[in-house]
Amino acid sequence: MARTASLSGFPEWLPEERLVELHVLDTLRRVFELHGFGSIETRAVETVGQLLRKGEIDKEVYGLSRLQEDESDNPVKGGKADPNALALHFDLTVPFARYVVENAGYLSFPFRRYQIQKVWRGERPQEGRAREFTQADIDVVGDGELPFRYDVEIALVIAEALSALPIPDFRLRINNRKLAEGFYRGIGLDDTAGVLRNIDKLEKIGPAKVAELLKTELGASDEQATKALQLAAIRTEDTSFVAQVRALGVSNELLDEGLDELEQVIDAAVQRAPGKVLADLSIARGLDYYTGTVVETVLVGHEQLGSICSGGRYDALASKGNRKFPGVGLSIGVTRLVSRILSQDLAKASRSVPTAVLVALNHDDSWGAAQDVAALLRSRGIPTEVAAKAEKFGKQIKFADRRGIPFVWFTDEDGTHQVKDIRTGEQVLAAPETWMPPLEDLAVQVETTATAAATV
C-alpha cells in the first residue's frame, strides 16, 4: 500500500488502490448473481439486544449515541448495555436474520441473497483486522427447513468466487459442528460449547495448552483431552477423514449425522473444486449460532493473515413464533483481502483513473467542440475527459501521462481528428463516431503481478 491511514483501523484507499477494491467487489457481484443470488442492504444500526442475542462479543460492539445526549441516548446503563440502545452492526448475518423475520411475508423461500456492506468492530487494529471494513456475504435461508444440499452449493459458489480474484491459492477448511459435538458427547464431555471454544484456540496456543484448558476448565480426563485433540488433528483433502474418525472408536448418533453431512460436502468439492477444499476437524467457529457445516478459508502461504472467508450452517438464528428460518452462508472479508493484495503487491490496476481519452484543446474557444467530441466517445462507452486549459500540446500530453490516461485526442482546424497513444507515440487519423481503443484499454484492468504468481 502507498500509505498508512491517519486514523488507525479505518482504512482509506488511494484512487488506484480503490480500483483494485472495486474489481474485487465487481467480481464477487458477478459470480454471486450468476448463481441467482439477489442483492439486499440492511441498515447499519441495530439494537444492542438484537446484536448480542447470539454469542458474547459485547466488547467489540460500537454503541451509537448523540454528542449532546440525554439519558435515553446512553447505550450503557448501570454498567450494562441497554438492549434497546442503538449500535453499529459487527457482521451482516445477525442483521440479515432480523431482515428475514421482518420481511418473511414478502420473500420467496428458499431466499438467496448476497450483501456487500461495511461493518464495524472495536478490535485492536493490525493487518487483516480493521475497525471499519467491508464484508461480502451470501446466504440461503429456508422457511421451516432447508435441504442440506445448499451447504454444498454455498461452498462451491465461494470457491468459484475466490478463484476469480487476483489472489494466491486458497483452501476452504470445512468441519461440521454436529460431528464435533457428537464426538465430544461420545467421550463423555457434555459441555460441548466449552470444548469448541477451547479447540478454537488451537492455532493460537497449541495442543498442550488446549489440553490443559480442557482438564482445568471442563474437568476432562487425560484420555478425554487426548481424544478431543486426536479428532482436531484430522485433516484430509478427500473423504478419508470418515475412516480416521471411525478409527478413534467413538459412537454417537449426532456424530454419525455430522460425518455424513461433511462427507457430502467434501465429496462434491473434490469433484467440482478439486484442490480447493480441506476437511479440517479442528475448525470450530467461535459464534454460538452455527449448528452444522462450518468453514474457514486461508490463503496458501499467507496463513498468518487468518481466515479470509468464514461461516456455516445456522438452524436457529432466525425465528418468528413457531416459524423457523434455517440458513447457511459464508462471509468474505473484502477489506482483509484487499489489504493483503495491496501490501504484498499481488495485483495492480493498469492505470490510476478510469479515463481512456483526454480531448486536447487547440485554444480556449475550442472547448465546446471538444465537449462534443467527448460526448460522442462517451456515448459508445469510452471514458473521456476534456482538457481544462489550452496549453501547449506537450503540457496537455504530460497532464494525461500524470493522470495515467493512455490516449490524447486532437482536432485540427480543418475538422479532422487524430488520436495519439502516448505510451508508444503512435498517432493516427480517427473519427469520434467510429474509433475505439483496444479492448484492454477501454476499461481499467486489474492484473495479477509476478509477485502473486510466485506465491501460488
Side-chain angles (χ1 to χ4, degrees), residues 390-402:
E391 299 180 299
K392 292 181 179 180
F393 285 151
K395 285 190 174 182
Q396 295 186 64
I397 291 171
K398 285 183 179 179
F399 172 80
D401 188 38
R402 285 199 309 272

Side-chain angles (χ1 to χ4, degrees), residues 359-407:
V359 181
L361 298 182
N362 293 341
H363 44 75
D364 285 335
D365 291 341
S366 65
W367 187 83
Q371 288 288 352
D372 292 338
V373 170
L376 285 170
L377 294 172
R378 293 185 194 120
S379 71
R380 294 185 296 105
I382 304 171
T384 306
E385 291 182 31
V386 175
K389 293 191 296 184
E391 299 180 299
K392 292 181 179 180
F393 285 151
K395 285 190 174 182
Q396 295 186 64
I397 291 171
K398 285 183 179 179
F399 172 80
D401 188 38
R402 285 199 309 272
R403 296 267 291 149
I405 301 171
F407 296 96

Side-chain angles (χ1 to χ4, degrees), residues 269-339:
V270 167
Q271 298 177 48
R272 298 187 176 276
K276 301 300 183 185
V277 173
L278 180 72
D280 186 339
L281 276 54
S282 70
I283 299 302
R285 298 294 299 142
L287 294 172
D288 295 339
Y289 50 66
Y290 294 111
T291 55
T293 303
V294 286
V295 180
E296 289 193 353
T297 309
V298 295
L299 294 179
V300 176
H302 301 260
E303 289 81 2
Q304 76 283 1
L305 182 65
S307 180
I308 59 162
C309 172
S310 59
R313 178 80 173 215
Y314 46 90
D315 286 323
L317 183 64
S319 61
K320 187 176 185 179
N322 294 326
R323 193 176 177 187
K324 303 289 185 184
F325 300 97
V328 60
L330 289 171
S331 175
I332 297 174
V334 174
T335 301
R336 178 174 289 191
L337 264 181
V338 172
S339 295

Side-chain angles (χ1 to χ4, degrees), residues 123-144:
E123 298 193 285
R124 183 172 65 85
Q126 54 187 299
E127 187 182 3
R129 289 189 180 275
R131 291 170 175 166
E132 179 183 69
F133 54 98
T134 300
Q135 286 188 323
D137 286 21
I138 59 169
D139 288 78
V140 181
V141 172
D143 185 356

Side-chain angles (χ1 to χ4, degrees), residues 37 113 138-140 149-160 172 295 312 328-330:
F37 290 84
R113 84 80 160 92
I138 59 169
D139 288 78
V140 181
R149 187 160 287 171
Y150 286 111
D151 290 41
V152 181
E153 182 183 359
I154 284 283
L156 296 177
V157 172
I158 287 293
E160 181 179 331
L172 271 71
V295 180
V328 60
L330 289 171

Side-chain angles (χ1 to χ4, degrees), residues 24-40:
V24 170
L25 295 173
D26 291 342
T27 300
L28 294 177
R29 286 191 194 96
R30 177 177 55 81
V31 174
F32 295 162
E33 291 180 1
L34 281 173
H35 286 269
F37 290 84
S39 176
I40 70 164

